[in-house]
Amino acid sequence: MSPVAATRWCPTPEQLMILEEMYRSGIRTPNAVQIQQITAHLAFYGRIEGKNVFYWFQNHKARDRQKLRKKLAKQLHQQQHHLQLQLQQIQPKSMSMMPQPLSNIIDHHNHYQHHHNHHRSYDHMSFGCCSQGIGVEAQSKVLSEHYCNKSGHEDMLMQRPITGQNTSYGRDWMMMMDMGPRPSYPSSSVPVPYCNMMMMNSPKIPLKTLELFPISSINSKQDSSKL
Amino acid sequence: MSPVAATRWCPTPEQLMILEEMYRSGIRTPNAVQIQQITAHLAFYGRIEGKNVFYWFQNHKARDRQKLRKKLAKQLHQQQHHLQLQLQQIQPKSMSMMPQPLSNIIDHHNHYQHHHNHHRSYDHMSFGCCSQGIGVEAQSKVLSEHYCNKSGHEDMLMQRPITGQNTSYGRDWMMMMDMGPRPSYPSSSVPVPYCNMMMMNSPKIPLKTLELFPISSINSKQDSSKL
DNA sequence: GCAAATTAATGATTTATTCAAG
DNA sequence: CTTGAATAAATCATTAATTTGC
């Protein structure tokens, strides 16, 4: 048996530097094709597989967020005190300021009434608090933005395909799968709802065509097809 | 146009943290005055309206309860199960053949076994330098992964293969990914220092390694995607 | 100086959550 | 309401740093 490769991947300094540079310059969740390419290039410096690249970005991003969160939490810990004081000023005897254990009881008590009241007072609101493609993702986006803010890309950051799936690994993997098992559909017509146009994150192109011709043309077609 | 504002509210990390802290400290159904106050405070960190605060507490409370319910249900179920077992012990009948969801039992006993034969693998990687034998190792991995495959239940026997990868949804696409890395570099290829290539924000992709990797067309857009 | 012991980092997996399509 | 896709969070496991006693 092969004496090597029975252990976890350990990035060489070169690989690490490149990955970090990529991260710094904004890559967070590379799609399948990107991963492929990154992997191919990093392979020059040592053993590496696609999954290593995938995991590296996942972990790095997560730990970045984690770090940032701790930082913010610390910062806010002080504000916390301040806030509480102010809240107490608002309603010195408010039940809502009671310690947690009582919350359930309290809640039961005034649920009906409060709910009713508020509902009334906000009668005019539109109840569209859901059903758009923004959510946790966006939040984390904000986080990472805080961390590696580049310039004025904020609006781009917030943009997500409004109705569509998030761009991501999933579809890409499927496409790769198509390479092997079964070509369910001709590579020209891909049955995936494309909505990311401006979002530019998924080359929904069967991988096999990668080395043959520029994908941009296809992309542009798709772009115009939606939205 | 002005960045956003036409989309639903998306709490900034600071806002979220403050809201969560308030929730933790007992606030469940803030009244109108409180909402106003909270809103005013949170407005410091970003766009926010009273209704956002209102809905946030509403949703958070609801989901909290939901979580709790599930948890309790689970506990109860377990207790029942234990009780049953105890009863059966008292009155042992045909316990031996008791049909049980094996998955539960089998499940969490993984823990891989160690492999201490490998710190060797660094030898040829020599931190600091590069440009040598890569390429071959990946195969063994692919091979071993090939065994524990979905769809076959005989694989249960193989579960927790000694060297690594656990079963799971991850593996499938990793295998797919393995198609790509293709560590076998064309002999001519030179490791262009290449960090920028993948993420050049420029919409038009300059690029040096173009001849080898058709990245340009793909990357041109995606790269800026996630930054 | 040196390993054994301990701790910190980080690669790899698993679990929980979220969104929205059916 | 259920379910699939995506992925963030939590966790596990191993490797590197480091501390420690000799």
Side-chain angles (χ1 to χ4, degrees):
Chain A
M1 84 159 58
S2 180
V4 292
T7 183
R8 78 181 196 183
W9 170 65
C10 187
T12 69
E14 290 87 0
Q15 289 174 333
L16 200 58
M17 247 187 289
I18 293 173
L19 286 170
E20 280 170 349
E21 178 56 32
M22 287 177 173
Y23 187 88
R24 260 197 302 280
S25 58
I27 293 181
R28 289 292 177 280
T29 312
N31 61 40
V33 174
Q34 286 176 301
I35 288 177
Q36 292 292 326
Q37 294 167 342
I38 293 171
T39 302
H41 278 90
L42 292 187
F44 182 86
Y45 300 100
R47 174 176 71 91
I48 190 172
E49 297 172 54
K51 66 176 184 181
N52 303 130
V53 174
F54 170 80
Y55 284 138
W56 190 90
F57 277 98
Q58 288 277 101
N59 281 319
H60 206 71
K61 185 170 56 173
R63 279 156 185 161
D64 225 11
R65 267 193 303 252
Q66 191 178 336
K67 232 182 292 177
L68 180 61
R69 245 184 319 232
K70 275 183 186 169
K71 207 168 162 186
L72 282 177
K74 211 173 197 174
Q75 278 186 353
L76 288 174
H77 189 64
Q78 294 156 353
Q79 296 188 3
Q80 204 59 79
H81 192 64
H82 188 59
L83 252 170
Q84 293 252 347
L85 287 180
Q86 284 189 316
L87 279 174
Q88 283 175 346
Q89 281 186 338
I90 296 165
Q91 272 205 344
K93 294 186 178 180
S94 169
M95 300 216 295
S96 59
M97 291 306 295
M98 283 182 127
Q100 174 122 12
L102 297 178
S103 57
N104 286 337
I105 303 169
I106 294 167
D107 195 48
H108 253 310
H109 241 273
N110 59 13
H111 173 267
Y112 207 80
Q113 193 176 5
H114 273 180
H115 191 8
H116 197 52
N117 281 345
H118 287 310
H119 215 107
R120 268 221 213 272
S121 51
Y122 288 103
D123 263 350
H124 63 286
M125 298 176 190
S126 62
F127 279 61
C129 64
C130 50
S131 79
Q132 299 234 340
I134 313 174
V136 179
E137 260 290 308
Q139 296 172 13
S140 55
K141 274 290 143 64
V142 173
L143 267 179
S144 52
E145 183 186 356
H146 270 259
Y147 185 81
C148 80
N149 202 344
K150 308 180 71 61
S151 50
H153 290 105
E154 292 152 318
D155 39 358
M156 292 186 78
L157 278 172
M158 299 299 295
Q159 266 179 5
R160 302 293 294 178
I162 301 206
T163 27
Q165 8 270 100
N166 298 334
T167 99
S168 185
Y169 302 99
R171 274 203 310 269
D172 295 326
W173 299 114
M174 290 182 117
M175 306 214 140
M176 291 173 142
M177 201 182 265
D178 282 345
M179 289 177 69
R182 68 166 103 83
S184 5
Y185 17 75
S187 56
S188 54
S189 69
V190 189
V192 185
Y194 298 137
C195 351
N196 341 20
M197 53 172 302
M198 290 294 158
M199 237 25 239
M200 67 272 205
N201 198 334
S202 318
K204 342 99 172 156
I205 307 304
L207 196 54
K208 35 179 141 183
T209 65
L210 189 64
E211 40 191 19
L212 297 181
F213 48 83
I215 297 171
S216 52
S217 57
I218 296 171
N219 268 343
S220 60
K221 180 171 68 179
Q222 290 165 349
D223 290 350
S224 54
S225 68
K226 187 78 187 223
L227 273 186
Chain B
M1 65 174 148
S2 178
V4 287
T7 179
R8 73 180 195 184
W9 172 64
C10 185
T12 70
E14 294 93 338
Q15 288 174 335
L16 199 59
M17 241 179 288
I18 292 174
L19 286 170
E20 280 169 349
E21 184 52 38
M22 287 177 174
Y23 188 88
R24 264 195 301 277
S25 68
I27 296 178
R28 290 293 180 280
T29 312
N31 61 37
V33 176
Q34 286 177 302
I35 287 178
Q36 287 305 317
Q37 293 286 340
I38 294 169
T39 302
H41 277 290
L42 294 188
F44 178 82
Y45 299 102
R47 177 175 69 90
I48 190 172
E49 298 176 57
K51 65 177 183 181
N52 302 132
V53 175
F54 172 75
Y55 284 133
W56 188 90
F57 277 98
Q58 194 134 306
N59 283 322
H60 205 71
K61 185 172 61 176
R63 281 160 183 160
D64 215 24
R65 270 197 295 249
Q66 184 181 349
K67 227 183 296 179
L68 182 63
R69 242 177 282 131
K70 276 184 185 171
K71 207 170 169 181
L72 285 178
K74 208 174 194 174
Q75 281 185 353
L76 200 106
H77 190 273
Q78 290 237 341
Q79 284 187 353
Q80 285 180 342
H81 190 251
H82 277 183
L83 248 172
Q84 227 174 5
L85 284 181
Q86 285 184 323
L87 282 176
Q88 283 174 343
Q89 279 190 339
I90 295 168
Q91 281 192 339
K93 290 185 177 177
S94 57
M95 264 196 62
S96 53
M97 292 307 291
M98 225 176 74
Q100 267 193 30
L102 293 178
S103 55
N104 287 337
I105 301 170
I106 295 170
D107 194 89
H108 267 94
H109 283 39
N110 38 30
H111 301 314
Y112 329 142
Q113 300 188 315
H114 283 190
H115 235 37
H116 282 289
N117 62 349
H118 44 262
H119 31 281
R120 297 260 109 208
S121 40
Y122 295 99
D123 292 349
H124 72 288
M125 295 228 294
S126 75
F127 279 54
C129 251
C130 39
S131 68
Q132 24 185 338
I134 346 120
V136 258
E137 300 110 313
Q139 297 174 3
S140 63
K141 177 63 71 97
V142 173
L143 238 180
S144 68
E145 285 183 356
H146 180 266
Y147 278 110
C148 40
N149 209 347
K150 57 192 170 185
S151 77
H153 303 107
E154 306 84 31
D155 295 334
M156 288 287 220
L157 297 176
M158 305 286 301
Q159 217 166 15
R160 311 319 174 194
I162 308 234
T163 39
Q165 285 21 47
N166 285 340
T167 88
S168 203
Y169 66 81
R171 199 194 53 252
D172 290 341
W173 48 257
M174 278 182 194
M175 282 177 69
M176 243 137 249
M177 195 123 212
D178 285 344
M179 299 174 65
R182 220 203 280 117
S184 53
Y185 248 66
S187 53
S188 59
S189 68
V190 184
V192 181
Y194 149 154
C195 326
N196 332 1
M197 125 171 262
M198 297 303 280
M199 55 269 159
M200 282 304 183
N201 306 334
S202 67
K204 33 208 111 173
I205 307 315
L207 270 323
K208 344 122 170 252
T209 57
L210 238 163
E211 345 160 21
L212 298 178
F213 303 93
I215 296 174
S216 57
S217 54
I218 298 163
N219 268 342
S220 55
K221 303 183 160 191
Q222 301 154 351
D223 293 341
S224 45
S225 66
K226 292 277 183 175
L227 26 123

